[in-house]
Amino acid sequence: MRRLLARRMKFHLFGAFFVSLGCAALYKFGVAEPRKRAYAEFYKNYDAMKDFEAMKAAGVFECAPPK
């Protein structure tokens, strides 16, 4: 029974470290990287002026009334 807490603590500390490292890797490659690719793909062909003109024609803006 001697040093039982220290032994168990060491085991759980290493386990928690590797689990958190795995979760971080899963988030990076499962969420962050696909999100970056989706944003890059969206803004590759995005035309802000065309979008602005469409919203202006729809009457979204008070400062730029539709013509």
Side-chain angles (χ1 to χ4, degrees), residues 7-43:
R7 232 183 0 226
R8 298 287 292 171
M9 181 92 60
K10 192 183 300 183
F11 172 75
H12 285 105
L13 187 67
F14 286 129
F17 176 75
F18 287 118
V19 166
S20 65
L21 195 63
C23 287
L26 282 174
Y27 181 82
K28 177 176 174 40
F29 295 113
V31 175
E33 291 298 324
R35 188 176 290 172
K36 280 188 211 177
R37 282 193 301 270
Y39 275 106
E41 183 66 31
F42 176 76
Y43 283 111

PDB file of all heavy atoms in Angstrom, residues 7-43:
ATOM      1  N   ARG A   7       1.821   6.199  -7.483  1.00  0.00           N
ATOM      2  CA  ARG A   7       1.830   5.314  -8.648  1.00  0.00           C
ATOM      3  C   ARG A   7       0.580   5.519  -9.502  1.00  0.00           C
ATOM      4  O   ARG A   7       0.655   5.614 -10.725  1.00  0.00           O
ATOM      5  CB  ARG A   7       1.897   3.863  -8.163  1.00  0.00           C
ATOM      6  CG  ARG A   7       2.988   3.085  -8.809  1.00  0.00           C
ATOM      7  CD  ARG A   7       3.031   1.630  -8.392  1.00  0.00           C
ATOM      8  NE  ARG A   7       2.010   1.230  -7.429  1.00  0.00           N
ATOM      9  CZ  ARG A   7       2.246   0.503  -6.354  1.00  0.00           C
ATOM     10  NH1 ARG A   7       3.468   0.084  -6.084  1.00  0.00           N
ATOM     11  NH2 ARG A   7       1.282   0.166  -5.540  1.00  0.00           N
ATOM     12  N   ARG A   8      -0.573   5.584  -8.852  1.00  0.00           N
ATOM     13  CA  ARG A   8      -1.827   5.774  -9.582  1.00  0.00           C
ATOM     14  C   ARG A   8      -1.878   7.165 -10.216  1.00  0.00           C
ATOM     15  O   ARG A   8      -2.395   7.320 -11.320  1.00  0.00           O
ATOM     16  CB  ARG A   8      -3.021   5.589  -8.643  1.00  0.00           C
ATOM     17  CG  ARG A   8      -3.139   4.214  -8.033  1.00  0.00           C
ATOM     18  CD  ARG A   8      -3.584   3.183  -8.995  1.00  0.00           C
ATOM     19  NE  ARG A   8      -4.962   3.434  -9.371  1.00  0.00           N
ATOM     20  CZ  ARG A   8      -5.578   2.792 -10.340  1.00  0.00           C
ATOM     21  NH1 ARG A   8      -4.965   1.865 -11.006  1.00  0.00           N
ATOM     22  NH2 ARG A   8      -6.820   3.083 -10.651  1.00  0.00           N
ATOM     23  N   MET A   9      -1.348   8.147  -9.506  1.00  0.00           N
ATOM     24  CA  MET A   9      -1.340   9.511 -10.032  1.00  0.00           C
ATOM     25  C   MET A   9      -0.489   9.586 -11.292  1.00  0.00           C
ATOM     26  O   MET A   9      -0.871  10.231 -12.271  1.00  0.00           O
ATOM     27  CB  MET A   9      -0.800  10.472  -8.978  1.00  0.00           C
ATOM     28  CG  MET A   9      -0.787  11.913  -9.418  1.00  0.00           C
ATOM     29  SD  MET A   9      -2.248  12.816  -8.977  1.00  0.00           S
ATOM     30  CE  MET A   9      -2.242  12.682  -7.212  1.00  0.00           C
ATOM     31  N   LYS A  10       0.662   8.944 -11.296  1.00  0.00           N
ATOM     32  CA  LYS A  10       1.533   8.953 -12.459  1.00  0.00           C
ATOM     33  C   LYS A  10       0.829   8.310 -13.651  1.00  0.00           C
ATOM     34  O   LYS A  10       0.856   8.837 -14.765  1.00  0.00           O
ATOM     35  CB  LYS A  10       2.822   8.194 -12.142  1.00  0.00           C
ATOM     36  CG  LYS A  10       3.906   8.377 -13.174  1.00  0.00           C
ATOM     37  CD  LYS A  10       5.141   7.561 -12.869  1.00  0.00           C
ATOM     38  CE  LYS A  10       5.740   7.937 -11.531  1.00  0.00           C
ATOM     39  NZ  LYS A  10       6.976   7.215 -11.239  1.00  0.00           N
ATOM     40  N   PHE A  11       0.177   7.197 -13.413  1.00  0.00           N
ATOM     41  CA  PHE A  11      -0.551   6.499 -14.472  1.00  0.00           C
ATOM     42  C   PHE A  11      -1.654   7.387 -15.048  1.00  0.00           C
ATOM     43  O   PHE A  11      -1.782   7.541 -16.262  1.00  0.00           O
ATOM     44  CB  PHE A  11      -1.148   5.197 -13.919  1.00  0.00           C
ATOM     45  CG  PHE A  11      -2.072   4.503 -14.872  1.00  0.00           C
ATOM     46  CD1 PHE A  11      -1.563   3.814 -15.961  1.00  0.00           C
ATOM     47  CD2 PHE A  11      -3.442   4.550 -14.675  1.00  0.00           C
ATOM     48  CE1 PHE A  11      -2.418   3.172 -16.840  1.00  0.00           C
ATOM     49  CE2 PHE A  11      -4.299   3.915 -15.553  1.00  0.00           C
ATOM     50  CZ  PHE A  11      -3.786   3.222 -16.640  1.00  0.00           C
ATOM     51  N   HIS A  12      -2.444   8.001 -14.181  1.00  0.00           N
ATOM     52  CA  HIS A  12      -3.546   8.840 -14.640  1.00  0.00           C
ATOM     53  C   HIS A  12      -3.058  10.130 -15.281  1.00  0.00           C
ATOM     54  O   HIS A  12      -3.700  10.646 -16.199  1.00  0.00           O
ATOM     55  CB  HIS A  12      -4.498   9.136 -13.485  1.00  0.00           C
ATOM     56  CG  HIS A  12      -5.351   7.976 -13.139  1.00  0.00           C
ATOM     57  ND1 HIS A  12      -5.130   7.219 -12.020  1.00  0.00           N
ATOM     58  CD2 HIS A  12      -6.399   7.405 -13.781  1.00  0.00           C
ATOM     59  CE1 HIS A  12      -6.017   6.242 -11.980  1.00  0.00           C
ATOM     60  NE2 HIS A  12      -6.794   6.331 -13.036  1.00  0.00           N
ATOM     61  N   LEU A  13      -1.930  10.650 -14.832  1.00  0.00           N
ATOM     62  CA  LEU A  13      -1.378  11.859 -15.429  1.00  0.00           C
ATOM     63  C   LEU A  13      -0.951  11.603 -16.875  1.00  0.00           C
ATOM     64  O   LEU A  13      -1.276  12.380 -17.774  1.00  0.00           O
ATOM     65  CB  LEU A  13      -0.192  12.357 -14.598  1.00  0.00           C
ATOM     66  CG  LEU A  13       0.385  13.704 -14.990  1.00  0.00           C
ATOM     67  CD1 LEU A  13      -0.638  14.788 -14.706  1.00  0.00           C
ATOM     68  CD2 LEU A  13       1.649  13.977 -14.222  1.00  0.00           C
ATOM     69  N   PHE A  14      -0.236  10.505 -17.086  1.00  0.00           N
ATOM     70  CA  PHE A  14       0.170  10.164 -18.452  1.00  0.00           C
ATOM     71  C   PHE A  14      -1.047   9.847 -19.315  1.00  0.00           C
ATOM     72  O   PHE A  14      -1.120  10.255 -20.480  1.00  0.00           O
ATOM     73  CB  PHE A  14       1.141   8.984 -18.461  1.00  0.00           C
ATOM     74  CG  PHE A  14       2.509   9.331 -17.995  1.00  0.00           C
ATOM     75  CD1 PHE A  14       3.126   8.578 -17.006  1.00  0.00           C
ATOM     76  CD2 PHE A  14       3.197  10.400 -18.531  1.00  0.00           C
ATOM     77  CE1 PHE A  14       4.395   8.891 -16.568  1.00  0.00           C
ATOM     78  CE2 PHE A  14       4.464  10.722 -18.107  1.00  0.00           C
ATOM     79  CZ  PHE A  14       5.067   9.969 -17.115  1.00  0.00           C
ATOM     80  N   GLY A  15      -1.997   9.151 -18.769  1.00  0.00           N
ATOM     81  CA  GLY A  15      -3.218   8.832 -19.513  1.00  0.00           C
ATOM     82  C   GLY A  15      -3.969  10.086 -19.912  1.00  0.00           C
ATOM     83  O   GLY A  15      -4.417  10.221 -21.058  1.00  0.00           O
ATOM     84  N   ALA A  16      -4.135  11.020 -18.997  1.00  0.00           N
ATOM     85  CA  ALA A  16      -4.839  12.269 -19.289  1.00  0.00           C
ATOM     86  C   ALA A  16      -4.083  13.082 -20.341  1.00  0.00           C
ATOM     87  O   ALA A  16      -4.701  13.700 -21.211  1.00  0.00           O
ATOM     88  CB  ALA A  16      -5.010  13.079 -18.019  1.00  0.00           C
ATOM     89  N   PHE A  17      -2.759  13.073 -20.267  1.00  0.00           N
ATOM     90  CA  PHE A  17      -1.964  13.808 -21.252  1.00  0.00           C
ATOM     91  C   PHE A  17      -2.186  13.255 -22.657  1.00  0.00           C
ATOM     92  O   PHE A  17      -2.426  13.996 -23.604  1.00  0.00           O
ATOM     93  CB  PHE A  17      -0.481  13.744 -20.886  1.00  0.00           C
ATOM     94  CG  PHE A  17       0.406  14.390 -21.896  1.00  0.00           C
ATOM     95  CD1 PHE A  17       0.482  15.767 -21.999  1.00  0.00           C
ATOM     96  CD2 PHE A  17       1.165  13.615 -22.766  1.00  0.00           C
ATOM     97  CE1 PHE A  17       1.296  16.369 -22.939  1.00  0.00           C
ATOM     98  CE2 PHE A  17       1.981  14.207 -23.710  1.00  0.00           C
ATOM     99  CZ  PHE A  17       2.051  15.580 -23.796  1.00  0.00           C
ATOM    100  N   PHE A  18      -2.139  11.941 -22.798  1.00  0.00           N
ATOM    101  CA  PHE A  18      -2.298  11.342 -24.125  1.00  0.00           C
ATOM    102  C   PHE A  18      -3.730  11.447 -24.642  1.00  0.00           C
ATOM    103  O   PHE A  18      -3.940  11.637 -25.844  1.00  0.00           O
ATOM    104  CB  PHE A  18      -1.813   9.890 -24.122  1.00  0.00           C
ATOM    105  CG  PHE A  18      -0.324   9.781 -24.055  1.00  0.00           C
ATOM    106  CD1 PHE A  18       0.283   9.156 -22.982  1.00  0.00           C
ATOM    107  CD2 PHE A  18       0.471  10.337 -25.045  1.00  0.00           C
ATOM    108  CE1 PHE A  18       1.666   9.064 -22.907  1.00  0.00           C
ATOM    109  CE2 PHE A  18       1.851  10.257 -24.986  1.00  0.00           C
ATOM    110  CZ  PHE A  18       2.444   9.621 -23.916  1.00  0.00           C
ATOM    111  N   VAL A  19      -4.706  11.374 -23.762  1.00  0.00           N
ATOM    112  CA  VAL A  19      -6.096  11.551 -24.189  1.00  0.00           C
ATOM    113  C   VAL A  19      -6.320  12.986 -24.669  1.00  0.00           C
ATOM    114  O   VAL A  19      -6.952  13.214 -25.694  1.00  0.00           O
ATOM    115  CB  VAL A  19      -7.068  11.173 -23.049  1.00  0.00           C
ATOM    116  CG1 VAL A  19      -8.474  11.657 -23.344  1.00  0.00           C
ATOM    117  CG2 VAL A  19      -7.057   9.669 -22.838  1.00  0.00           C
ATOM    118  N   SER A  20      -5.793  13.959 -23.935  1.00  0.00           N
ATOM    119  CA  SER A  20      -5.969  15.353 -24.354  1.00  0.00           C
ATOM    120  C   SER A  20      -5.223  15.637 -25.645  1.00  0.00           C
ATOM    121  O   SER A  20      -5.704  16.391 -26.500  1.00  0.00           O
ATOM    122  CB  SER A  20      -5.514  16.303 -23.255  1.00  0.00           C
ATOM    123  OG  SER A  20      -4.131  16.179 -23.028  1.00  0.00           O
ATOM    124  N   LEU A  21      -4.061  15.035 -25.823  1.00  0.00           N
ATOM    125  CA  LEU A  21      -3.317  15.193 -27.076  1.00  0.00           C
ATOM    126  C   LEU A  21      -4.107  14.599 -28.237  1.00  0.00           C
ATOM    127  O   LEU A  21      -4.184  15.201 -29.328  1.00  0.00           O
ATOM    128  CB  LEU A  21      -1.953  14.514 -26.948  1.00  0.00           C
ATOM    129  CG  LEU A  21      -0.900  14.845 -27.988  1.00  0.00           C
ATOM    130  CD1 LEU A  21      -0.544  16.313 -27.912  1.00  0.00           C
ATOM    131  CD2 LEU A  21       0.336  13.987 -27.747  1.00  0.00           C
ATOM    132  N   GLY A  22      -4.711  13.459 -28.026  1.00  0.00           N
ATOM    133  CA  GLY A  22      -5.537  12.830 -29.062  1.00  0.00           C
ATOM    134  C   GLY A  22      -6.755  13.671 -29.403  1.00  0.00           C
ATOM    135  O   GLY A  22      -7.113  13.812 -30.577  1.00  0.00           O
ATOM    136  N   CYS A  23      -7.402  14.236 -28.400  1.00  0.00           N
ATOM    137  CA  CYS A  23      -8.568  15.086 -28.649  1.00  0.00           C
ATOM    138  C   CYS A  23      -8.177  16.337 -29.430  1.00  0.00           C
ATOM    139  O   CYS A  23      -8.900  16.769 -30.332  1.00  0.00           O
ATOM    140  CB  CYS A  23      -9.226  15.481 -27.340  1.00  0.00           C
ATOM    141  SG  CYS A  23     -10.115  14.133 -26.558  1.00  0.00           S
ATOM    142  N   ALA A  24      -7.045  16.918 -29.093  1.00  0.00           N
ATOM    143  CA  ALA A  24      -6.577  18.104 -29.813  1.00  0.00           C
ATOM    144  C   ALA A  24      -6.287  17.770 -31.272  1.00  0.00           C
ATOM    145  O   ALA A  24      -6.638  18.538 -32.177  1.00  0.00           O
ATOM    146  CB  ALA A  24      -5.336  18.669 -29.140  1.00  0.00           C
ATOM    147  N   ALA A  25      -5.670  16.625 -31.514  1.00  0.00           N
ATOM    148  CA  ALA A  25      -5.373  16.219 -32.894  1.00  0.00           C
ATOM    149  C   ALA A  25      -6.660  15.943 -33.660  1.00  0.00           C
ATOM    150  O   ALA A  25      -6.791  16.338 -34.829  1.00  0.00           O
ATOM    151  CB  ALA A  25      -4.474  14.993 -32.894  1.00  0.00           C
ATOM    152  N   LEU A  26      -7.612  15.275 -33.026  1.00  0.00           N
ATOM    153  CA  LEU A  26      -8.891  15.010 -33.696  1.00  0.00           C
ATOM    154  C   LEU A  26      -9.611  16.306 -34.038  1.00  0.00           C
ATOM    155  O   LEU A  26     -10.187  16.433 -35.118  1.00  0.00           O
ATOM    156  CB  LEU A  26      -9.775  14.142 -32.814  1.00  0.00           C
ATOM    157  CG  LEU A  26      -9.446  12.665 -32.790  1.00  0.00           C
ATOM    158  CD1 LEU A  26     -10.298  11.949 -31.756  1.00  0.00           C
ATOM    159  CD2 LEU A  26      -9.661  12.055 -34.160  1.00  0.00           C
ATOM    160  N   TYR A  27      -9.600  17.278 -33.135  1.00  0.00           N
ATOM    161  CA  TYR A  27     -10.252  18.552 -33.415  1.00  0.00           C
ATOM    162  C   TYR A  27      -9.559  19.277 -34.556  1.00  0.00           C
ATOM    163  O   TYR A  27     -10.211  19.815 -35.443  1.00  0.00           O
ATOM    164  CB  TYR A  27     -10.262  19.440 -32.165  1.00  0.00           C
ATOM    165  CG  TYR A  27     -10.946  20.755 -32.419  1.00  0.00           C
ATOM    166  CD1 TYR A  27     -12.328  20.846 -32.359  1.00  0.00           C
ATOM    167  CD2 TYR A  27     -10.225  21.893 -32.747  1.00  0.00           C
ATOM    168  CE1 TYR A  27     -12.974  22.036 -32.620  1.00  0.00           C
ATOM    169  CE2 TYR A  27     -10.857  23.090 -33.005  1.00  0.00           C
ATOM    170  CZ  TYR A  27     -12.233  23.160 -32.939  1.00  0.00           C
ATOM    171  OH  TYR A  27     -12.865  24.336 -33.212  1.00  0.00           O
ATOM    172  N   LYS A  28      -8.225  19.283 -34.525  1.00  0.00           N
ATOM    173  CA  LYS A  28      -7.487  19.992 -35.568  1.00  0.00           C
ATOM    174  C   LYS A  28      -7.773  19.419 -36.939  1.00  0.00           C
ATOM    175  O   LYS A  28      -8.071  20.146 -37.878  1.00  0.00           O
ATOM    176  CB  LYS A  28      -5.991  19.954 -35.284  1.00  0.00           C
ATOM    177  CG  LYS A  28      -5.167  20.627 -36.383  1.00  0.00           C
ATOM    178  CD  LYS A  28      -3.717  20.669 -36.045  1.00  0.00           C
ATOM    179  CE  LYS A  28      -2.837  21.188 -37.132  1.00  0.00           C
ATOM    180  NZ  LYS A  28      -3.291  22.294 -37.890  1.00  0.00           N
ATOM    181  N   PHE A  29      -7.679  18.092 -37.065  1.00  0.00           N
ATOM    182  CA  PHE A  29      -7.836  17.477 -38.378  1.00  0.00           C
ATOM    183  C   PHE A  29      -9.285  17.158 -38.730  1.00  0.00           C
ATOM    184  O   PHE A  29      -9.606  16.981 -39.897  1.00  0.00           O
ATOM    185  CB  PHE A  29      -6.982  16.211 -38.465  1.00  0.00           C
ATOM    186  CG  PHE A  29      -5.516  16.507 -38.385  1.00  0.00           C
ATOM    187  CD1 PHE A  29      -4.770  16.084 -37.291  1.00  0.00           C
ATOM    188  CD2 PHE A  29      -4.881  17.235 -39.367  1.00  0.00           C
ATOM    189  CE1 PHE A  29      -3.423  16.365 -37.200  1.00  0.00           C
ATOM    190  CE2 PHE A  29      -3.534  17.527 -39.292  1.00  0.00           C
ATOM    191  CZ  PHE A  29      -2.804  17.095 -38.205  1.00  0.00           C
ATOM    192  N   GLY A  30     -10.160  17.114 -37.748  1.00  0.00           N
ATOM    193  CA  GLY A  30     -11.558  16.809 -38.020  1.00  0.00           C
ATOM    194  C   GLY A  30     -12.447  18.029 -38.140  1.00  0.00           C
ATOM    195  O   GLY A  30     -13.486  17.972 -38.787  1.00  0.00           O
ATOM    196  N   VAL A  31     -12.038  19.158 -37.529  1.00  0.00           N
ATOM    197  CA  VAL A  31     -12.884  20.351 -37.532  1.00  0.00           C
ATOM    198  C   VAL A  31     -12.163  21.554 -38.128  1.00  0.00           C
ATOM    199  O   VAL A  31     -12.678  22.199 -39.050  1.00  0.00           O
ATOM    200  CB  VAL A  31     -13.362  20.681 -36.103  1.00  0.00           C
ATOM    201  CG1 VAL A  31     -14.149  21.979 -36.066  1.00  0.00           C
ATOM    202  CG2 VAL A  31     -14.185  19.545 -35.545  1.00  0.00           C
ATOM    203  N   ALA A  32     -10.986  21.882 -37.616  1.00  0.00           N
ATOM    204  CA  ALA A  32     -10.318  23.127 -38.001  1.00  0.00           C
ATOM    205  C   ALA A  32      -9.845  23.113 -39.453  1.00  0.00           C
ATOM    206  O   ALA A  32     -10.069  24.090 -40.185  1.00  0.00           O
ATOM    207  CB  ALA A  32      -9.149  23.395 -37.065  1.00  0.00           C
ATOM    208  N   GLU A  33      -9.196  22.046 -39.873  1.00  0.00           N
ATOM    209  CA  GLU A  33      -8.685  22.003 -41.248  1.00  0.00           C
ATOM    210  C   GLU A  33      -9.808  21.991 -42.288  1.00  0.00           C
ATOM    211  O   GLU A  33      -9.735  22.734 -43.267  1.00  0.00           O
ATOM    212  CB  GLU A  33      -7.757  20.797 -41.428  1.00  0.00           C
ATOM    213  CG  GLU A  33      -6.451  20.911 -40.670  1.00  0.00           C
ATOM    214  CD  GLU A  33      -5.595  22.085 -41.096  1.00  0.00           C
ATOM    215  OE1 GLU A  33      -5.578  22.420 -42.302  1.00  0.00           O
ATOM    216  OE2 GLU A  33      -4.961  22.685 -40.233  1.00  0.00           O
ATOM    217  N   PRO A  34     -10.886  21.185 -42.125  1.00  0.00           N
ATOM    218  CA  PRO A  34     -11.983  21.270 -43.096  1.00  0.00           C
ATOM    219  C   PRO A  34     -12.643  22.645 -43.122  1.00  0.00           C
ATOM    220  O   PRO A  34     -13.061  23.122 -44.176  1.00  0.00           O
ATOM    221  CB  PRO A  34     -12.974  20.202 -42.626  1.00  0.00           C
ATOM    222  CG  PRO A  34     -12.154  19.229 -41.886  1.00  0.00           C
ATOM    223  CD  PRO A  34     -11.074  20.041 -41.228  1.00  0.00           C
ATOM    224  N   ARG A  35     -12.709  23.285 -41.959  1.00  0.00           N
ATOM    225  CA  ARG A  35     -13.296  24.626 -41.917  1.00  0.00           C
ATOM    226  C   ARG A  35     -12.428  25.622 -42.680  1.00  0.00           C
ATOM    227  O   ARG A  35     -12.947  26.470 -43.415  1.00  0.00           O
ATOM    228  CB  ARG A  35     -13.442  25.050 -40.455  1.00  0.00           C
ATOM    229  CG  ARG A  35     -14.205  26.333 -40.272  1.00  0.00           C
ATOM    230  CD  ARG A  35     -14.390  26.636 -38.816  1.00  0.00           C
ATOM    231  NE  ARG A  35     -15.326  25.692 -38.220  1.00  0.00           N
ATOM    232  CZ  ARG A  35     -15.573  25.624 -36.922  1.00  0.00           C
ATOM    233  NH1 ARG A  35     -14.944  26.410 -36.084  1.00  0.00           N
ATOM    234  NH2 ARG A  35     -16.442  24.762 -36.454  1.00  0.00           N
ATOM    235  N   LYS A  36     -11.108  25.516 -42.522  1.00  0.00           N
ATOM    236  CA  LYS A  36     -10.203  26.396 -43.272  1.00  0.00           C
ATOM    237  C   LYS A  36     -10.359  26.184 -44.769  1.00  0.00           C
ATOM    238  O   LYS A  36     -10.383  27.142 -45.541  1.00  0.00           O
ATOM    239  CB  LYS A  36      -8.751  26.113 -42.889  1.00  0.00           C
ATOM    240  CG  LYS A  36      -8.298  26.732 -41.626  1.00  0.00           C
ATOM    241  CD  LYS A  36      -6.802  26.524 -41.506  1.00  0.00           C
ATOM    242  CE  LYS A  36      -6.356  26.411 -40.104  1.00  0.00           C
ATOM    243  NZ  LYS A  36      -4.930  26.142 -39.990  1.00  0.00           N
ATOM    244  N   ARG A  37     -10.454  24.919 -45.189  1.00  0.00           N
ATOM    245  CA  ARG A  37     -10.617  24.626 -46.614  1.00  0.00           C
ATOM    246  C   ARG A  37     -11.946  25.167 -47.139  1.00  0.00           C
ATOM    247  O   ARG A  37     -12.017  25.698 -48.248  1.00  0.00           O
ATOM    248  CB  ARG A  37     -10.533  23.129 -46.866  1.00  0.00           C
ATOM    249  CG  ARG A  37      -9.126  22.594 -46.865  1.00  0.00           C
ATOM    250  CD  ARG A  37      -9.062  21.192 -47.434  1.00  0.00           C
ATOM    251  NE  ARG A  37      -9.898  20.246 -46.683  1.00  0.00           N
ATOM    252  CZ  ARG A  37      -9.482  19.534 -45.658  1.00  0.00           C
ATOM    253  NH1 ARG A  37      -8.249  19.636 -45.240  1.00  0.00           N
ATOM    254  NH2 ARG A  37     -10.312  18.704 -45.048  1.00  0.00           N
ATOM    255  N   ALA A  38     -13.008  25.057 -46.341  1.00  0.00           N
ATOM    256  CA  ALA A  38     -14.315  25.556 -46.767  1.00  0.00           C
ATOM    257  C   ALA A  38     -14.296  27.074 -46.930  1.00  0.00           C
ATOM    258  O   ALA A  38     -14.841  27.609 -47.909  1.00  0.00           O
ATOM    259  CB  ALA A  38     -15.387  25.142 -45.763  1.00  0.00           C
ATOM    260  N   TYR A  39     -13.663  27.772 -45.987  1.00  0.00           N
ATOM    261  CA  TYR A  39     -13.558  29.227 -46.114  1.00  0.00           C
ATOM    262  C   TYR A  39     -12.717  29.614 -47.324  1.00  0.00           C
ATOM    263  O   TYR A  39     -13.065  30.546 -48.059  1.00  0.00           O
ATOM    264  CB  TYR A  39     -12.948  29.842 -44.849  1.00  0.00           C
ATOM    265  CG  TYR A  39     -13.966  30.119 -43.772  1.00  0.00           C
ATOM    266  CD1 TYR A  39     -14.035  29.324 -42.635  1.00  0.00           C
ATOM    267  CD2 TYR A  39     -14.845  31.178 -43.881  1.00  0.00           C
ATOM    268  CE1 TYR A  39     -14.962  29.569 -41.640  1.00  0.00           C
ATOM    269  CE2 TYR A  39     -15.784  31.445 -42.891  1.00  0.00           C
ATOM    270  CZ  TYR A  39     -15.831  30.638 -41.783  1.00  0.00           C
ATOM    271  OH  TYR A  39     -16.749  30.886 -40.807  1.00  0.00           O
ATOM    272  N   ALA A  40     -11.615  28.924 -47.540  1.00  0.00           N
ATOM    273  CA  ALA A  40     -10.762  29.232 -48.689  1.00  0.00           C
ATOM    274  C   ALA A  40     -11.512  29.004 -49.992  1.00  0.00           C
ATOM    275  O   ALA A  40     -11.419  29.819 -50.929  1.00  0.00           O
ATOM    276  CB  ALA A  40      -9.501  28.381 -48.647  1.00  0.00           C
ATOM    277  N   GLU A  41     -12.286  27.931 -50.072  1.00  0.00           N
ATOM    278  CA  GLU A  41     -13.056  27.639 -51.284  1.00  0.00           C
ATOM    279  C   GLU A  41     -14.139  28.686 -51.501  1.00  0.00           C
ATOM    280  O   GLU A  41     -14.388  29.110 -52.636  1.00  0.00           O
ATOM    281  CB  GLU A  41     -13.677  26.242 -51.175  1.00  0.00           C
ATOM    282  CG  GLU A  41     -14.433  25.805 -52.387  1.00  0.00           C
ATOM    283  CD  GLU A  41     -13.549  25.623 -53.602  1.00  0.00           C
ATOM    284  OE1 GLU A  41     -12.373  25.261 -53.434  1.00  0.00           O
ATOM    285  OE2 GLU A  41     -14.044  25.863 -54.729  1.00  0.00           O
ATOM    286  N   PHE A  42     -14.794  29.122 -50.424  1.00  0.00           N
ATOM    287  CA  PHE A  42     -15.849  30.128 -50.544  1.00  0.00           C
ATOM    288  C   PHE A  42     -15.284  31.457 -51.038  1.00  0.00           C
ATOM    289  O   PHE A  42     -15.837  32.077 -51.951  1.00  0.00           O
ATOM    290  CB  PHE A  42     -16.547  30.327 -49.201  1.00  0.00           C
ATOM    291  CG  PHE A  42     -17.581  31.414 -49.222  1.00  0.00           C
ATOM    292  CD1 PHE A  42     -18.803  31.206 -49.802  1.00  0.00           C
ATOM    293  CD2 PHE A  42     -17.300  32.656 -48.664  1.00  0.00           C
ATOM    294  CE1 PHE A  42     -19.765  32.212 -49.833  1.00  0.00           C
ATOM    295  CE2 PHE A  42     -18.240  33.667 -48.686  1.00  0.00           C
ATOM    296  CZ  PHE A  42     -19.480  33.442 -49.265  1.00  0.00           C
ATOM    297  N   TYR A  43     -14.183  31.894 -50.439  1.00  0.00           N
ATOM    298  CA  TYR A  43     -13.637  33.207 -50.796  1.00  0.00           C
ATOM    299  C   TYR A  43     -12.814  33.192 -52.072  1.00  0.00           C
ATOM    300  O   TYR A  43     -12.422  34.253 -52.558  1.00  0.00           O
ATOM    301  CB  TYR A  43     -12.811  33.768 -49.636  1.00  0.00           C
ATOM    302  CG  TYR A  43     -13.693  34.321 -48.549  1.00  0.00           C
ATOM    303  CD1 TYR A  43     -13.785  33.690 -47.314  1.00  0.00           C
ATOM    304  CD2 TYR A  43     -14.459  35.458 -48.757  1.00  0.00           C
ATOM    305  CE1 TYR A  43     -14.603  34.185 -46.325  1.00  0.00           C
ATOM    306  CE2 TYR A  43     -15.288  35.956 -47.779  1.00  0.00           C
ATOM    307  CZ  TYR A  43     -15.359  35.320 -46.564  1.00  0.00           C
ATOM    308  OH  TYR A  43     -16.186  35.818 -45.591  1.00  0.00           O
TER     309      TYR A  43
END
